[in-house]
Amino acid sequence: MRAWHIALLRSSLSLSEAGYKDYVPSGLDNALRNNHADSGLSARSRTSLLVLVICLVALPVRAQSGTTQPEPSPSPDNSTIHSLANPVIDPTRQSDQGRKTDRDPIEKADEYKSKLTFSTYFTSGNQAFDLNLRHQLGPFTVWIAGFYDPQTNKLLRTGIQYDYRKAWLHFVPSIEVATTRAVSGSLSFELGSGKTIALVGYSRTNLKPFFDLFWDPGDSVQLGIGHKLSSYDRIQAYTIFDVRLHTGQQNTHVVWRHKLNANNGITFDGIFKSGHEDSGQYIRSASLGVYYDRPHWFWKLYYDPHVNFSGHTMVRTGIGLKF
């Protein structure tokens, strides 16, 4: 059984820093120049001169008071390479930046560096368990996991991925190895700098038995599209299809992520699969998954007939912590 999923559900926001220059009027002494001739002025002239002086003194005070309001600084996580390399000096965006830094807790949940997931896989007459710990170290993410099936398989696996992001390109190479001597690698791309991006990926294994948290063809290509609906909401559609074993196996995913409120989010993953099973029978089937997200924890459930193009139906459930 092989499984390696190369789709990434990520996205990033770029904020630009803008600045103001204080305007300070000069030349106040021009109004008082030649004050030795003051004795020759009439009373009306002296009164007009006094009013002019008072107005000029008040002008810089008003100008400075309009520009000294404090502005919130952008979050370090939003100070991306793109925003630093292409600053946009636009004072009207200052208030927008202030709103973006005050995000809901469910949106900040993606910023946690570590994730611990415990999953249980149910098939007819059997169940298996998986424990996975992931941690982000700068642009690198590393993980270690264990899979336990009381009847057949036991293994440990570990892997690493690197995130490279610049302008319109997000590139993620990764590699994973297991104690069964299984090796899997992938190259994943997100192409585009706007709300709509293209998803492209390639995955390869050494055809050794592999158990993972994802259940798509292992030696495959991924093609798809993603669209960002809001700072949290997004929709993706992509197909992962076999390009090595001539099985015709392919899984097409439609994924919708939605923020319910400030502390709750939900993701639905609908999957249509087609291709030849290991027995040679051609099948068409549909699966459904739901992912419930909280600021510090999450829960997921999948119903998956013909799991990994076998004759088995699997129910997968898992719970995890973010910290």
PDB file of all heavy atoms in Angstrom, residues 52-84:
ATOM      1  N   LEU A  52      -1.992  87.673  12.054  1.00  0.00           N
ATOM      2  CA  LEU A  52      -1.183  86.892  11.125  1.00  0.00           C
ATOM      3  C   LEU A  52      -0.159  86.042  11.865  1.00  0.00           C
ATOM      4  O   LEU A  52       0.062  84.861  11.541  1.00  0.00           O
ATOM      5  CB  LEU A  52      -0.482  87.825  10.137  1.00  0.00           C
ATOM      6  CG  LEU A  52       0.449  87.164   9.123  1.00  0.00           C
ATOM      7  CD1 LEU A  52      -0.341  86.188   8.252  1.00  0.00           C
ATOM      8  CD2 LEU A  52       1.132  88.216   8.259  1.00  0.00           C
ATOM      9  N   VAL A  53       0.486  86.607  12.875  1.00  0.00           N
ATOM     10  CA  VAL A  53       1.472  85.862  13.657  1.00  0.00           C
ATOM     11  C   VAL A  53       0.823  84.680  14.362  1.00  0.00           C
ATOM     12  O   VAL A  53       1.343  83.564  14.374  1.00  0.00           O
ATOM     13  CB  VAL A  53       2.173  86.795  14.667  1.00  0.00           C
ATOM     14  CG1 VAL A  53       3.012  85.989  15.654  1.00  0.00           C
ATOM     15  CG2 VAL A  53       3.028  87.805  13.932  1.00  0.00           C
ATOM     16  N   ILE A  54      -0.361  84.904  14.974  1.00  0.00           N
ATOM     17  CA  ILE A  54      -1.045  83.826  15.690  1.00  0.00           C
ATOM     18  C   ILE A  54      -1.406  82.683  14.736  1.00  0.00           C
ATOM     19  O   ILE A  54      -1.243  81.504  15.043  1.00  0.00           O
ATOM     20  CB  ILE A  54      -2.305  84.365  16.394  1.00  0.00           C
ATOM     21  CG1 ILE A  54      -1.907  85.336  17.514  1.00  0.00           C
ATOM     22  CG2 ILE A  54      -3.163  83.221  16.952  1.00  0.00           C
ATOM     23  CD1 ILE A  54      -3.085  86.041  18.167  1.00  0.00           C
ATOM     24  N   CYS A  55      -1.868  83.027  13.505  1.00  0.00           N
ATOM     25  CA  CYS A  55      -2.226  81.994  12.531  1.00  0.00           C
ATOM     26  C   CYS A  55      -1.015  81.184  12.098  1.00  0.00           C
ATOM     27  O   CYS A  55      -1.080  79.963  11.957  1.00  0.00           O
ATOM     28  CB  CYS A  55      -2.892  82.636  11.309  1.00  0.00           C
ATOM     29  SG  CYS A  55      -4.529  83.328  11.658  1.00  0.00           S
ATOM     30  N   LEU A  56       0.108  81.854  11.875  1.00  0.00           N
ATOM     31  CA  LEU A  56       1.315  81.152  11.446  1.00  0.00           C
ATOM     32  C   LEU A  56       1.855  80.250  12.537  1.00  0.00           C
ATOM     33  O   LEU A  56       2.420  79.186  12.266  1.00  0.00           O
ATOM     34  CB  LEU A  56       2.385  82.156  11.005  1.00  0.00           C
ATOM     35  CG  LEU A  56       2.103  82.896   9.688  1.00  0.00           C
ATOM     36  CD1 LEU A  56       3.180  83.952   9.436  1.00  0.00           C
ATOM     37  CD2 LEU A  56       2.034  81.939   8.533  1.00  0.00           C
ATOM     38  N   VAL A  57       1.730  80.666  13.803  1.00  0.00           N
ATOM     39  CA  VAL A  57       2.186  79.827  14.910  1.00  0.00           C
ATOM     40  C   VAL A  57       1.308  78.589  15.033  1.00  0.00           C
ATOM     41  O   VAL A  57       1.780  77.483  15.310  1.00  0.00           O
ATOM     42  CB  VAL A  57       2.197  80.634  16.229  1.00  0.00           C
ATOM     43  CG1 VAL A  57       2.411  79.715  17.424  1.00  0.00           C
ATOM     44  CG2 VAL A  57       3.282  81.701  16.168  1.00  0.00           C
ATOM     45  N   ALA A  58       0.007  78.748  14.822  1.00  0.00           N
ATOM     46  CA  ALA A  58      -0.908  77.614  14.976  1.00  0.00           C
ATOM     47  C   ALA A  58      -0.798  76.620  13.839  1.00  0.00           C
ATOM     48  O   ALA A  58      -1.068  75.432  14.019  1.00  0.00           O
ATOM     49  CB  ALA A  58      -2.349  78.122  15.073  1.00  0.00           C
ATOM     50  N   LEU A  59      -0.360  77.053  12.619  1.00  0.00           N
ATOM     51  CA  LEU A  59      -0.331  76.175  11.455  1.00  0.00           C
ATOM     52  C   LEU A  59       0.560  74.962  11.617  1.00  0.00           C
ATOM     53  O   LEU A  59       0.123  73.842  11.362  1.00  0.00           O
ATOM     54  CB  LEU A  59       0.085  76.990  10.209  1.00  0.00           C
ATOM     55  CG  LEU A  59       0.118  76.222   8.893  1.00  0.00           C
ATOM     56  CD1 LEU A  59      -1.254  75.641   8.591  1.00  0.00           C
ATOM     57  CD2 LEU A  59       0.595  77.130   7.755  1.00  0.00           C
ATOM     58  N   PRO A  60       1.837  75.066  12.053  1.00  0.00           N
ATOM     59  CA  PRO A  60       2.646  73.861  12.217  1.00  0.00           C
ATOM     60  C   PRO A  60       2.126  72.909  13.271  1.00  0.00           C
ATOM     61  O   PRO A  60       2.305  71.709  13.180  1.00  0.00           O
ATOM     62  CB  PRO A  60       4.039  74.411  12.572  1.00  0.00           C
ATOM     63  CG  PRO A  60       3.799  75.786  13.094  1.00  0.00           C
ATOM     64  CD  PRO A  60       2.616  76.304  12.335  1.00  0.00           C
ATOM     65  N   VAL A  61       1.449  73.466  14.325  1.00  0.00           N
ATOM     66  CA  VAL A  61       0.910  72.605  15.363  1.00  0.00           C
ATOM     67  C   VAL A  61      -0.171  71.714  14.795  1.00  0.00           C
ATOM     68  O   VAL A  61      -0.237  70.518  15.032  1.00  0.00           O
ATOM     69  CB  VAL A  61       0.379  73.448  16.548  1.00  0.00           C
ATOM     70  CG1 VAL A  61      -0.324  72.552  17.574  1.00  0.00           C
ATOM     71  CG2 VAL A  61       1.519  74.232  17.176  1.00  0.00           C
ATOM     72  N   ARG A  62      -1.065  72.293  13.937  1.00  0.00           N
ATOM     73  CA  ARG A  62      -2.138  71.508  13.317  1.00  0.00           C
ATOM     74  C   ARG A  62      -1.572  70.485  12.351  1.00  0.00           C
ATOM     75  O   ARG A  62      -2.035  69.358  12.272  1.00  0.00           O
ATOM     76  CB  ARG A  62      -3.117  72.435  12.596  1.00  0.00           C
ATOM     77  CG  ARG A  62      -3.962  73.273  13.525  1.00  0.00           C
ATOM     78  CD  ARG A  62      -4.779  74.282  12.746  1.00  0.00           C
ATOM     79  NE  ARG A  62      -5.623  73.619  11.769  1.00  0.00           N
ATOM     80  CZ  ARG A  62      -6.839  73.173  12.031  1.00  0.00           C
ATOM     81  NH1 ARG A  62      -7.339  73.291  13.249  1.00  0.00           N
ATOM     82  NH2 ARG A  62      -7.551  72.578  11.092  1.00  0.00           N
ATOM     83  N   ALA A  63      -0.549  70.866  11.578  1.00  0.00           N
ATOM     84  CA  ALA A  63       0.017  69.942  10.594  1.00  0.00           C
ATOM     85  C   ALA A  63       0.666  68.751  11.254  1.00  0.00           C
ATOM     86  O   ALA A  63       0.525  67.618  10.822  1.00  0.00           O
ATOM     87  CB  ALA A  63       1.030  70.688   9.716  1.00  0.00           C
ATOM     88  N   GLN A  64       1.393  68.986  12.329  1.00  0.00           N
ATOM     89  CA  GLN A  64       2.072  67.890  13.002  1.00  0.00           C
ATOM     90  C   GLN A  64       1.088  66.993  13.729  1.00  0.00           C
ATOM     91  O   GLN A  64       1.260  65.780  13.762  1.00  0.00           O
ATOM     92  CB  GLN A  64       3.102  68.431  13.986  1.00  0.00           C
ATOM     93  CG  GLN A  64       4.267  69.139  13.288  1.00  0.00           C
ATOM     94  CD  GLN A  64       5.276  69.653  14.289  1.00  0.00           C
ATOM     95  OE1 GLN A  64       5.304  69.193  15.431  1.00  0.00           O
ATOM     96  NE2 GLN A  64       6.087  70.599  13.880  1.00  0.00           N
ATOM     97  N   SER A  65       0.026  67.541  14.323  1.00  0.00           N
ATOM     98  CA  SER A  65      -0.915  66.711  15.056  1.00  0.00           C
ATOM     99  C   SER A  65      -1.652  65.757  14.137  1.00  0.00           C
ATOM    100  O   SER A  65      -2.139  64.731  14.572  1.00  0.00           O
ATOM    101  CB  SER A  65      -1.925  67.600  15.802  1.00  0.00           C
ATOM    102  OG  SER A  65      -2.709  68.336  14.856  1.00  0.00           O
ATOM    103  N   GLY A  66      -1.740  66.037  12.839  1.00  0.00           N
ATOM    104  CA  GLY A  66      -2.426  65.155  11.910  1.00  0.00           C
ATOM    105  C   GLY A  66      -1.580  64.005  11.439  1.00  0.00           C
ATOM    106  O   GLY A  66      -2.084  63.125  10.754  1.00  0.00           O
ATOM    107  N   THR A  67      -0.281  63.947  11.761  1.00  0.00           N
ATOM    108  CA  THR A  67       0.587  62.893  11.246  1.00  0.00           C
ATOM    109  C   THR A  67       1.271  62.090  12.329  1.00  0.00           C
ATOM    110  O   THR A  67       2.066  61.219  12.029  1.00  0.00           O
ATOM    111  CB  THR A  67       1.664  63.506  10.336  1.00  0.00           C
ATOM    112  OG1 THR A  67       2.438  64.440  11.107  1.00  0.00           O
ATOM    113  CG2 THR A  67       1.049  64.197   9.143  1.00  0.00           C
ATOM    114  N   THR A  68       0.972  62.315  13.564  1.00  0.00           N
ATOM    115  CA  THR A  68       1.676  61.612  14.631  1.00  0.00           C
ATOM    116  C   THR A  68       0.827  60.514  15.248  1.00  0.00           C
ATOM    117  O   THR A  68       1.154  60.024  16.323  1.00  0.00           O
ATOM    118  CB  THR A  68       2.097  62.606  15.734  1.00  0.00           C
ATOM    119  OG1 THR A  68       0.935  63.310  16.182  1.00  0.00           O
ATOM    120  CG2 THR A  68       3.127  63.587  15.220  1.00  0.00           C
ATOM    121  N   GLN A  69      -0.262  60.119  14.588  1.00  0.00           N
ATOM    122  CA  GLN A  69      -1.048  59.017  15.122  1.00  0.00           C
ATOM    123  C   GLN A  69      -0.286  57.713  14.949  1.00  0.00           C
ATOM    124  O   GLN A  69       0.238  57.434  13.882  1.00  0.00           O
ATOM    125  CB  GLN A  69      -2.386  58.928  14.383  1.00  0.00           C
ATOM    126  CG  GLN A  69      -3.236  60.191  14.568  1.00  0.00           C
ATOM    127  CD  GLN A  69      -4.505  60.112  13.750  1.00  0.00           C
ATOM    128  OE1 GLN A  69      -4.718  59.148  13.035  1.00  0.00           O
ATOM    129  NE2 GLN A  69      -5.337  61.124  13.868  1.00  0.00           N
ATOM    130  N   PRO A  70      -0.202  56.890  15.965  1.00  0.00           N
ATOM    131  CA  PRO A  70       0.551  55.635  15.861  1.00  0.00           C
ATOM    132  C   PRO A  70      -0.112  54.677  14.895  1.00  0.00           C
ATOM    133  O   PRO A  70      -1.334  54.559  14.853  1.00  0.00           O
ATOM    134  CB  PRO A  70       0.529  55.090  17.295  1.00  0.00           C
ATOM    135  CG  PRO A  70      -0.679  55.711  17.912  1.00  0.00           C
ATOM    136  CD  PRO A  70      -0.827  57.072  17.282  1.00  0.00           C
ATOM    137  N   GLU A  71       0.691  53.954  14.098  1.00  0.00           N
ATOM    138  CA  GLU A  71       0.214  52.934  13.162  1.00  0.00           C
ATOM    139  C   GLU A  71       0.752  51.564  13.580  1.00  0.00           C
ATOM    140  O   GLU A  71       1.917  51.446  13.945  1.00  0.00           O
ATOM    141  CB  GLU A  71       0.702  53.243  11.739  1.00  0.00           C
ATOM    142  CG  GLU A  71       0.199  54.565  11.162  1.00  0.00           C
ATOM    143  CD  GLU A  71      -1.286  54.516  10.833  1.00  0.00           C
ATOM    144  OE1 GLU A  71      -1.826  53.400  10.799  1.00  0.00           O
ATOM    145  OE2 GLU A  71      -1.888  55.576  10.624  1.00  0.00           O
ATOM    146  N   PRO A  72      -0.073  50.543  13.542  1.00  0.00           N
ATOM    147  CA  PRO A  72       0.407  49.199  13.910  1.00  0.00           C
ATOM    148  C   PRO A  72       1.410  48.690  12.898  1.00  0.00           C
ATOM    149  O   PRO A  72       1.263  48.885  11.695  1.00  0.00           O
ATOM    150  CB  PRO A  72      -0.869  48.353  13.894  1.00  0.00           C
ATOM    151  CG  PRO A  72      -1.796  49.085  12.980  1.00  0.00           C
ATOM    152  CD  PRO A  72      -1.468  50.539  13.158  1.00  0.00           C
ATOM    153  N   SER A  73       2.450  48.034  13.390  1.00  0.00           N
ATOM    154  CA  SER A  73       3.449  47.447  12.491  1.00  0.00           C
ATOM    155  C   SER A  73       2.949  46.108  11.983  1.00  0.00           C
ATOM    156  O   SER A  73       2.215  45.414  12.667  1.00  0.00           O
ATOM    157  CB  SER A  73       4.775  47.246  13.220  1.00  0.00           C
ATOM    158  OG  SER A  73       4.586  46.399  14.329  1.00  0.00           O
ATOM    159  N   PRO A  74       3.321  45.732  10.735  1.00  0.00           N
ATOM    160  CA  PRO A  74       2.848  44.451  10.196  1.00  0.00           C
ATOM    161  C   PRO A  74       3.414  43.273  10.962  1.00  0.00           C
ATOM    162  O   PRO A  74       4.500  43.328  11.523  1.00  0.00           O
ATOM    163  CB  PRO A  74       3.354  44.475   8.738  1.00  0.00           C
ATOM    164  CG  PRO A  74       4.483  45.450   8.738  1.00  0.00           C
ATOM    165  CD  PRO A  74       4.150  46.456   9.790  1.00  0.00           C
ATOM    166  N   SER A  75       2.641  42.200  10.990  1.00  0.00           N
ATOM    167  CA  SER A  75       3.089  40.977  11.652  1.00  0.00           C
ATOM    168  C   SER A  75       4.337  40.434  10.996  1.00  0.00           C
ATOM    169  O   SER A  75       4.481  40.490   9.775  1.00  0.00           O
ATOM    170  CB  SER A  75       1.970  39.934  11.587  1.00  0.00           C
ATOM    171  OG  SER A  75       2.444  38.675  11.938  1.00  0.00           O
ATOM    172  N   PRO A  76       5.310  39.899  11.754  1.00  0.00           N
ATOM    173  CA  PRO A  76       6.514  39.329  11.140  1.00  0.00           C
ATOM    174  C   PRO A  76       6.199  38.239  10.135  1.00  0.00           C
ATOM    175  O   PRO A  76       6.907  38.076   9.157  1.00  0.00           O
ATOM    176  CB  PRO A  76       7.288  38.773  12.345  1.00  0.00           C
ATOM    177  CG  PRO A  76       6.783  39.532  13.514  1.00  0.00           C
ATOM    178  CD  PRO A  76       5.355  39.852  13.213  1.00  0.00           C
ATOM    179  N   ASP A  77       5.119  37.509  10.377  1.00  0.00           N
ATOM    180  CA  ASP A  77       4.773  36.438   9.446  1.00  0.00           C
ATOM    181  C   ASP A  77       4.279  36.979   8.120  1.00  0.00           C
ATOM    182  O   ASP A  77       4.279  36.266   7.128  1.00  0.00           O
ATOM    183  CB  ASP A  77       3.707  35.537  10.058  1.00  0.00           C
ATOM    184  CG  ASP A  77       4.227  34.813  11.280  1.00  0.00           C
ATOM    185  OD1 ASP A  77       5.202  34.062  11.163  1.00  0.00           O
ATOM    186  OD2 ASP A  77       3.656  35.019  12.348  1.00  0.00           O
ATOM    187  N   ASN A  78       3.831  38.212   8.093  1.00  0.00           N
ATOM    188  CA  ASN A  78       3.358  38.795   6.852  1.00  0.00           C
ATOM    189  C   ASN A  78       4.411  39.649   6.173  1.00  0.00           C
ATOM    190  O   ASN A  78       4.178  40.156   5.083  1.00  0.00           O
ATOM    191  CB  ASN A  78       2.109  39.646   7.111  1.00  0.00           C
ATOM    192  CG  ASN A  78       0.917  38.802   7.461  1.00  0.00           C
ATOM    193  OD1 ASN A  78       0.816  37.668   7.025  1.00  0.00           O
ATOM    194  ND2 ASN A  78       0.021  39.333   8.267  1.00  0.00           N
ATOM    195  N   SER A  79       5.557  39.844   6.809  1.00  0.00           N
ATOM    196  CA  SER A  79       6.642  40.605   6.189  1.00  0.00           C
ATOM    197  C   SER A  79       7.430  39.677   5.284  1.00  0.00           C
ATOM    198  O   SER A  79       8.527  39.239   5.597  1.00  0.00           O
ATOM    199  CB  SER A  79       7.538  41.218   7.265  1.00  0.00           C
ATOM    200  OG  SER A  79       6.807  42.089   8.074  1.00  0.00           O
ATOM    201  N   THR A  80       6.876  39.367   4.141  1.00  0.00           N
ATOM    202  CA  THR A  80       7.438  38.366   3.248  1.00  0.00           C
ATOM    203  C   THR A  80       8.491  38.968   2.352  1.00  0.00           C
ATOM    204  O   THR A  80       8.670  40.180   2.264  1.00  0.00           O
ATOM    205  CB  THR A  80       6.332  37.754   2.385  1.00  0.00           C
ATOM    206  OG1 THR A  80       5.767  38.777   1.576  1.00  0.00           O
ATOM    207  CG2 THR A  80       5.251  37.129   3.236  1.00  0.00           C
ATOM    208  N   ILE A  81       9.216  38.106   1.643  1.00  0.00           N
ATOM    209  CA  ILE A  81      10.216  38.561   0.692  1.00  0.00           C
ATOM    210  C   ILE A  81       9.582  39.430  -0.357  1.00  0.00           C
ATOM    211  O   ILE A  81      10.140  40.445  -0.776  1.00  0.00           O
ATOM    212  CB  ILE A  81      10.915  37.346   0.050  1.00  0.00           C
ATOM    213  CG1 ILE A  81      11.678  36.562   1.119  1.00  0.00           C
ATOM    214  CG2 ILE A  81      11.841  37.764  -1.073  1.00  0.00           C
ATOM    215  CD1 ILE A  81      12.313  35.294   0.615  1.00  0.00           C
ATOM    216  N   HIS A  82       8.374  39.069  -0.800  1.00  0.00           N
ATOM    217  CA  HIS A  82       7.714  39.842  -1.846  1.00  0.00           C
ATOM    218  C   HIS A  82       7.451  41.272  -1.390  1.00  0.00           C
ATOM    219  O   HIS A  82       7.713  42.220  -2.111  1.00  0.00           O
ATOM    220  CB  HIS A  82       6.397  39.173  -2.244  1.00  0.00           C
ATOM    221  CG  HIS A  82       5.600  39.945  -3.233  1.00  0.00           C
ATOM    222  ND1 HIS A  82       5.970  40.030  -4.550  1.00  0.00           N
ATOM    223  CD2 HIS A  82       4.478  40.689  -3.113  1.00  0.00           C
ATOM    224  CE1 HIS A  82       5.092  40.773  -5.216  1.00  0.00           C
ATOM    225  NE2 HIS A  82       4.174  41.180  -4.354  1.00  0.00           N
ATOM    226  N   SER A  83       6.959  41.437  -0.176  1.00  0.00           N
ATOM    227  CA  SER A  83       6.625  42.775   0.283  1.00  0.00           C
ATOM    228  C   SER A  83       7.865  43.613   0.534  1.00  0.00           C
ATOM    229  O   SER A  83       7.844  44.824   0.359  1.00  0.00           O
ATOM    230  CB  SER A  83       5.780  42.691   1.557  1.00  0.00           C
ATOM    231  OG  SER A  83       6.528  42.124   2.609  1.00  0.00           O
ATOM    232  N   LEU A  84       8.962  42.986   0.947  1.00  0.00           N
ATOM    233  CA  LEU A  84      10.178  43.742   1.185  1.00  0.00           C
ATOM    234  C   LEU A  84      10.869  44.119  -0.116  1.00  0.00           C
ATOM    235  O   LEU A  84      11.476  45.183  -0.220  1.00  0.00           O
ATOM    236  CB  LEU A  84      11.128  42.921   2.061  1.00  0.00           C
ATOM    237  CG  LEU A  84      10.640  42.628   3.469  1.00  0.00           C
ATOM    238  CD1 LEU A  84      11.651  41.752   4.193  1.00  0.00           C
ATOM    239  CD2 LEU A  84      10.413  43.903   4.244  1.00  0.00           C
TER     240      LEU A  84
END
